[in-house]
Amino acid sequence: MVFLQLFLNGLQLGAIYALTAVGFSLIFGSTKIFHVAHGSAFAISGYIYWWLASQLDVAWPVATLAAVLAAAAFGLLMERFIYRPIQRHEASFFTVFIAAFGVSLVIQNLIGSVAGRGMETVTTPLSRSVEIMDGLFVAPISAISIGVAILVFTALSYFLGRTHVGIAMRALSENPDLVRVFGLDPGRVAQWAFVIGSAVVVPGAIFTAMTAGLNPAIGTHVMLVSLAATIVGGIGSVRGAACGGMLLGLAENLAYWKLDPQWSEAVTFVVLFAFIIFRPSGFFGTPTAAR
Amino acid sequence: MATYIINLAILIGINAILAVTLNFILGYAGIFSLAHAIFFGIGAYTAAVAAMKFGADFAAATAAGMLVSGVISLALALPALRVRGEYFVAASLGLQMLALTVFSEWKSVTGGIGGLIGIPPPRLFGFDVSDPVLFLALTLACLGVILIAIRALVRSSFGRSLKAIRDDETAASALGKNVALLKTLAVMVSSSFAAVAGSLFAFFLSFINVESFVLEVSVQVIAMVIIGGTGTLLGPVIGAAIVLLLPALLTYLPYLPPTEIGSIQQMIYGLAMVLLMIFRPSGLWGYGSSQDRKRAAP
Amino acid sequence: MLKSRIAAAIAGALLWVGGAMAQETIRIGANLPMSGPNAELGEIFSRAASIAVNHINADKMLSKKLELVIEDSQATPQGGVVAMNKLVSVAKVPYVLSAYTAVSKAIAPIGDRAKVVSINGGAVGPDLAELGDYFWNVIPLVNFEAEVLIPFVVKEKGLKNIVLIFVDDPLGEAVQKVLRAEVPKAGGTPAGELQVQRSTQQFASIAAKVRELKPDAVYIASFGTQENQIIKQLRDNGITQQLMSYSAMSTPSIATLPEAKGGWYTVQSADFTASALGQRVAKEYKELSGKDANAYVANYYNAVMVFGILAQQLEKAGKPITGANLLEQRRASPTFELVGGKMTFQANGTVAAPVQIREVDGTGAGKLVK
């Protein structure tokens, strides 16, 4: 029974990880930008939702929409005012990395100054577990987050596979000419990648605000997990990132079954390290991607 | 006041060693490691344990730290041989997080988060060097030796081979260079020298704990290298000075509400990183543009 | 060109730092976390201290104006050491407010060497009692707290099976040690111990483990935002048993956390209503921050006030205000009238203030249980 409970907890956490990792993977896959400020989009949208829904009593659809807009705007501004100017020079990987890290530092402290430095939660009955079987507790939010994750992936797969912008987004890094064949501007497509990649973190951010709670430094952890999930799933594969996120969420929770709790987080990075050594292309990556 | 400046200078010197050693693999061999703080930590813990348990003096404790760090660096060299680019960054991140868990859980050696208290004052060949001025001299001497060693390495055939690997690994391997061996050696040299900084740090604070070796420290060292200028000898030293002096100077800003001062410092630090990367991506000490770089480095 | 400009700029910057400031005031330092994940507490500590500074100045207790110099420790040992060095050798303060166990342990040797008093009002690790003559604690350390709470819970409330969730650091380990001794002594059974890392944020599976152990009550020994997260996620994941903790449960964000309602915690007796002084501090704190004063406010107010009283006595005796003289004066007259009542320093620099048990009831300061 404990195993089943831990498995369910893992599924819920995995759904949240998958939602954040997919955004990171989408942005990296199409623009080759290692967007370590991705966690900031998570923090911003989470706090916007908290502020509207919990402080101002705005209805949840409105608050959600506002959070989506905020995350998308953040992604767009990052592309336009940080990454594009840097890439005008012959930017090295680490130039982008340091700039993005600088942005996350600014955002983290800005949130601390404006919203306070303690933990903030959105109180909702949805996060309260009920005993569905003897000793098995499930909160409505578990089902909701798994459902929303499936919904988002279905929509995203359709978008990437069937629409011109989506196909162009996937082709952008390998074959910019194909983008032009569709009559699209590569710069514009990159912006779309940032907008969509940032917007998909919103459900994860809202669910986190309802369950674990928000704090200004939350973005760092989100970024680490997204990065690990992206590698485990295989760089450039949105499907892989989703599976990677799910795997990490499950691993972190199932670790409680046999190990002492203090090792659970290390399990994430054991999985990551093992994948890099033994299967660097990840679940779905093409072997050539991992030279 | 003088003591404060000397202490700050010692910290800058220690961080400069970290930046210079990271630059050796980052700037010259193209190996981007997010785990440099781990080797800093291994050096610090080994030196502290050597001094506390076996009464080792600074030279012996540092040598022990370098040895242990060099051996453990194989864990970083292993993925460096298998993968490149973003994959290696992620691998080094994994190593950083794993090693940090070991640092905080292996309490009999590291003291966990409680840390090691009461590291004895440093002695060098029988002389007490705990006086701040002497310790600063010791730090600068270590930095100087490491700078000279790295300069010599970079200009040797070893350094030229590393640069060849950085610029084109496939071509370097086609030219008959043993890429695996060269990379492993580079990582080992860098990690052993980083352990020197760890040893200095342990003796300087006479207290160390896991919080001084976290991911943020690794990132800060990278920031020092990038801000100063990768692939230059003195750039990382300048970068270390700037990264440490900036927050120190910001505390002198007047009119800031005291409760917000920490946040404002961090924001200015972050903003400075962003602006520098946009307007001077090659670092302050680096060459002005890619054209200059090509001309200067035939 | 640019390189020489940078070199000049750095040299100039160093000179600027070197520019000494005139000593028109008496200064004391504060080495507190003002940024990062622990800044919520740093904010409370520094506000409380500044109220005491204002009172000392308004009441003209000292011959010159008292000034509080705040440095950011970031709650890390390295940050704390840099800040401490600055306070000791730039601001030349004789007295520094400290917080956090790891930071306090790192800065104590510096204070000892420079004969500068460090005084802690926030951290409760028992090893803080052993950091030398120049490290004082104005907060009862956690062993005092657990010794009060455990007999109450086990004997009076009949909750015998106790599970401990503790953070993997000196504080958590100290609580573990105290509970291992106290629970059997009171007639209870330690039903299990779960250690969590400081960075852990997900506790749903910890809750599952706790349910397995079927305790009557759960003792939580963490601090900062993690304390909140554990409480909320235990309640969310089917733990209906009594929750309890030490003074970390007295933060404003826990006071308003709905899941924390009903939780018991110990805190040093800081009854703001009992004296005129307490009421004055509580009122001014509320005006300054918009929140109700808690025990930390009392502690850091008291920490500054201890300095004010000792310095006043030294000035009267015509002695300079130095760390060594402050220590000597404290040993000569160890009892102080402070917020929360009379407080007496023991020879090892700790206080034995009365500890009370409170219950989180949704208001700032909670309900007095015992």
Side-chain angles (χ1 to χ4, degrees):
Chain A
M1 197 51 77
V2 183
F3 183 84
L4 192 59
Q5 179 74 57
L6 297 179
F7 187 80
L8 285 178
N9 293 346
L11 279 186
Q12 187 202 341
L13 188 64
I16 293 178
Y17 283 175
L19 284 167
T20 49
V22 159
F24 183 85
S25 178
L26 180 66
I27 292 170
F28 184 76
S30 66
T31 65
K32 289 287 162 229
I33 289 172
F34 213 59
H35 180 43
V36 289
H38 188 58
S40 299
F42 186 94
I44 291 173
S45 57
Y47 269 92
I48 293 276
Y49 184 86
W50 162 78
W51 180 60
L52 291 173
S54 188
Q55 303 299 104
L56 303 181
D57 284 325
V58 172
W60 69 265
V62 181
T64 306
L65 187 67
V68 170
L69 289 177
F74 173 76
L76 194 63
L77 292 174
M78 282 299 289
E79 199 279 339
R80 183 71 194 78
F81 292 106
I82 310 284
Y83 295 132
R84 207 186 295 174
I86 290 177
Q87 291 205 315
R88 223 170 272 149
H89 324 282
E90 235 178 279
S92 82
F93 166 79
F94 261 62
T95 318
V96 172
F97 181 92
I98 292 295
F101 192 81
V103 170
S104 11
L105 215 53
V106 172
I107 299 286
Q108 175 184 333
N109 284 284
L110 205 61
I111 290 176
S113 287
V114 176
R117 301 178 180 93
M119 186 187 85
E120 302 295 354
T121 47
V122 175
T123 307
T124 157
L126 295 177
S127 70
R128 193 52 73 97
S129 306
V130 285
E131 194 164 9
I132 52 165
M133 266 157 64
D134 185 36
L136 192 66
F137 284 71
V138 178
I141 195 130
S142 300
I144 297 175
S145 42
I146 295 166
V148 168
I150 293 171
L151 207 68
V152 168
F153 295 134
T154 316
L156 207 58
S157 308
Y158 176 82
F159 170 75
L160 290 175
R162 300 292 165 83
T163 65
H164 279 187
V165 180
I167 295 166
M169 215 176 270
R170 286 194 302 159
L172 187 60
S173 64
E174 307 290 324
N175 189 359
D177 291 335
L178 183 67
V179 177
R180 291 198 188 85
V181 171
F182 282 129
L184 294 165
D185 169 19
R188 193 53 64 79
V189 174
Q191 287 183 346
W192 272 110
F194 268 90
V195 165
I196 292 170
S198 301
V200 294
V201 303
V202 172
I206 294 175
F207 297 143
T208 303
M210 291 172 174
T211 54
L214 300 168
N215 64 71
I218 198 157
T220 316
H221 184 245
V222 170
M223 185 272 286
L224 289 179
V225 170
S226 305
L227 203 157
T230 302
I231 300 285
V232 168
I235 285 183
S237 161
V238 168
R239 189 168 46 138
C243 294
M246 189 52 86
L247 176 75
L248 292 180
L250 281 172
E252 194 180 317
N253 279 283
L254 290 179
Y256 287 96
W257 194 34
K258 291 288 171 202
L259 294 174
D260 281 338
Q262 69 265 33
W263 295 99
S264 82
E265 237 172 319
V267 168
T268 305
F269 296 100
V270 172
V271 172
L272 171 65
F273 207 71
F275 259 91
I276 287 170
I277 302 288
F278 299 109
R279 191 175 162 74
S281 54
F283 281 153
F284 296 106
T286 47
T288 51
R291 276 171 304 139
Chain B
M1 191 67 222
T3 330
Y4 171 65
I5 293 190
I6 290 168
N7 282 330
L8 198 57
I10 292 172
L11 271 181
I12 291 174
I14 291 171
N15 279 280
I17 294 176
L18 286 180
V20 167
T21 51
L22 178 66
N23 183 40
F24 180 64
I25 48 173
L26 196 155
Y28 296 110
I31 299 171
F32 298 141
S33 166
L34 268 173
H36 211 54
I38 290 308
F39 301 104
F40 179 45
I42 291 170
Y45 282 123
T46 312
V49 170
M52 288 166 79
K53 296 230 165 100
F54 307 104
D57 80 340
F58 176 78
T62 306
M66 290 177 73
L67 190 71
V68 175
S69 180
V71 171
I72 296 179
S73 73
L74 291 175
L76 186 67
L78 185 65
L81 304 180
R82 294 273 291 156
V83 293
R84 266 193 277 170
E86 296 78 21
Y87 287 90
F88 180 74
V89 173
S92 65
L93 176 76
L95 182 71
Q96 162 80 42
M97 303 308 285
L98 283 181
L100 204 67
T101 311
V102 173
F103 283 176
S104 47
E105 294 306 323
W106 195 13
K107 298 203 175 79
S108 56
V109 171
T110 65
I113 291 183
L116 297 173
I117 309 167
I119 299 165
R123 302 181 66 78
L124 188 62
F125 308 125
F127 295 100
D128 182 356
V129 284
S130 61
D131 176 77
V133 177
L134 286 179
F135 198 81
L136 177 60
L138 179 67
T139 308
L140 294 180
C142 290
L143 176 61
V145 169
I146 288 173
L147 277 173
I148 292 168
I150 285 185
R151 190 179 133 104
L153 279 175
V154 167
R155 298 195 171 182
S156 68
S157 68
F158 176 55
R160 283 194 299 276
S161 308
L162 281 184
K163 278 183 266 187
I165 293 174
R166 175 191 68 189
D167 296 336
D168 191 341
E169 188 166 325
T170 323
S173 137
L175 284 172
K177 304 216 184 280
N178 188 337
V179 174
L181 183 68
L182 286 165
K183 274 187 166 181
T184 309
L185 277 176
V187 170
M188 279 180 87
V189 166
S190 162
S191 308
S192 318
F193 280 153
V196 176
S199 172
L200 285 165
F201 186 73
F203 282 112
F204 171 58
L205 288 191
S206 77
F207 167 88
I208 49 167
N209 83 349
V210 60
E211 291 170 317
S212 299
F213 315 113
V214 293
L215 176 66
E216 282 76 7
V217 175
S218 286
V219 174
Q220 185 170 316
V221 178
I222 293 166
M224 289 170 188
V225 175
I226 307 274
I227 287 171
T230 51
T232 63
L233 192 65
L234 285 179
V237 179
I238 306 294
I242 290 171
V243 168
L244 289 187
L245 281 178
L246 192 67
L249 291 178
L250 289 176
T251 54
Y252 286 91
L253 280 182
Y255 312 119
L256 292 183
T259 52
E260 295 298 329
I261 210 164
S263 286
I264 293 171
Q265 272 178 26
Q266 292 283 313
M267 277 189 250
I268 294 179
Y269 171 50
L271 205 60
M273 280 179 20
V274 177
L275 293 177
L276 211 63
M277 290 307 104
I278 294 177
F279 295 108
R280 212 177 152 73
S282 55
L284 289 171
W285 204 259
Y287 299 97
S289 69
S290 46
Q291 254 95 38
D292 288 351
R293 182 181 295 234
K294 275 178 201 129
R295 236 179 291 136
Chain C
M1 244 342 263
L2 185 79
K3 289 184 188 186
S4 61
R5 277 213 306 273
I6 296 165
I10 290 172
L14 273 171
L15 279 177
W16 183 43
V17 176
M21 286 172 266
Q23 283 275 15
E24 293 293 310
T25 52
I26 298 171
R27 292 192 183 151
I28 57 172
N31 194 345
L32 304 173
M34 304 308 295
S35 64
N38 298 301
E40 181 190 10
L41 288 176
E43 204 166 349
I44 298 176
F45 300 163
S46 57
R47 276 184 176 149
S50 63
I51 293 174
V53 169
N54 292 343
H55 285 182
I56 290 172
N57 288 333
D59 299 352
K60 299 235 178 331
M61 281 172 67
L62 302 174
S63 62
K64 288 186 239 170
K65 197 167 162 263
L66 181 64
E67 191 189 332
L68 181 68
V69 185
I70 301 176
E71 291 289 337
D72 183 12
S73 71
Q74 298 172 351
T76 65
Q78 185 179 343
V81 165
V82 172
M84 185 69 177
N85 276 324
K86 201 171 162 204
L87 289 169
V88 166
S89 54
V90 183
K92 294 199 190 304
V93 298
Y95 193 85
V96 174
L97 310 180
S98 176
Y100 283 86
T101 308
V103 175
S104 297
K105 284 163 102 170
I107 69 168
I110 303 173
D112 219 42
R113 235 176 283 151
K115 297 201 189 322
V116 168
V117 174
S118 306
I119 185 159
N120 156 47
V124 289
D127 28 2
L128 294 180
E130 293 141 26
L131 292 180
D133 286 341
Y134 286 92
F135 196 90
W136 306 357
N137 294 288
V138 72
I139 178 170
L141 302 178
V142 74
N143 36 340
F144 289 102
E145 294 195 32
E147 283 163 18
V148 172
L149 184 62
I150 295 302
F152 167 77
V153 170
V154 176
K155 284 187 190 150
E156 289 185 34
K157 295 289 171 184
L159 303 174
K160 297 223 180 301
N161 291 320
I162 312 274
V163 161
L164 169 68
I165 300 174
F166 68 109
V167 65
D168 178 20
D169 84 339
L171 182 274
E173 283 159 21
V175 174
Q176 180 192 28
K177 215 159 67 187
V178 176
L179 251 58
R180 277 182 182 174
E182 288 297 320
V183 172
K185 208 163 82 188
T189 320
E193 292 170 346
L194 294 162
Q195 189 180 23
V196 297
Q197 273 206 305
R198 236 157 75 167
S199 53
T200 306
Q201 306 197 352
Q202 302 289 342
F203 298 97
S205 293
I206 293 277
K209 294 286 256 194
V210 172
R211 284 203 310 269
E212 280 286 289
L213 296 165
K214 300 199 188 338
D216 300 322
V218 183
Y219 195 104
I220 301 163
S222 178
F223 53 82
T225 50
Q226 195 181 49
E227 179 95 7
N228 305 29
Q229 287 175 323
I230 296 176
I231 296 171
K232 174 166 168 29
Q233 293 182 43
L234 287 186
R235 283 282 180 256
D236 270 352
N237 290 283
I239 303 294
T240 50
Q241 287 95 329
Q242 178 68 42
L243 300 182
M244 55 183 169
S245 185
Y246 68 107
S247 45
M249 213 163 159
S250 69
T251 59
S253 47
I254 292 186
T256 53
L257 186 71
E259 285 82 2
K261 220 167 176 178
W264 292 331
Y265 62 96
T266 41
V267 67
Q268 109 201 50
S269 163
D271 191 355
F272 289 96
T273 55
S275 65
L277 177 67
Q279 286 166 7
R280 179 176 167 197
V281 173
K283 184 167 157 275
E284 283 177 31
Y285 183 78
K286 177 109 195 187
E287 279 163 15
L288 196 62
S289 67
K291 283 175 177 155
D292 284 327
N294 59 16
Y296 291 132
V297 174
N299 291 342
Y300 281 92
Y301 181 90
N302 288 347
V304 174
M305 211 31 104
V306 165
F307 172 81
I309 294 167
L310 290 173
Q312 193 179 28
Q313 291 165 349
L314 286 176
E315 284 194 331
K316 228 174 249 169
K319 290 185 196 159
I321 304 168
T322 63
N325 285 343
L326 288 167
L327 176 63
E328 195 185 313
Q329 190 63 35
R330 190 209 80 198
R331 284 179 170 158
S333 53
T335 304
F336 297 84
E337 195 60 51
L338 300 167
V339 173
K342 236 187 211 39
M343 207 172 275
T344 305
F345 277 94
Q346 296 166 344
N348 67 357
T350 58
V351 291
V355 170
Q356 55 180 223
I357 301 168
R358 303 188 80 89
E359 182 179 319
V360 180
D361 67 350
T363 72
K367 187 169 78 190
L368 183 66
V369 177
K370 191 186 174 185

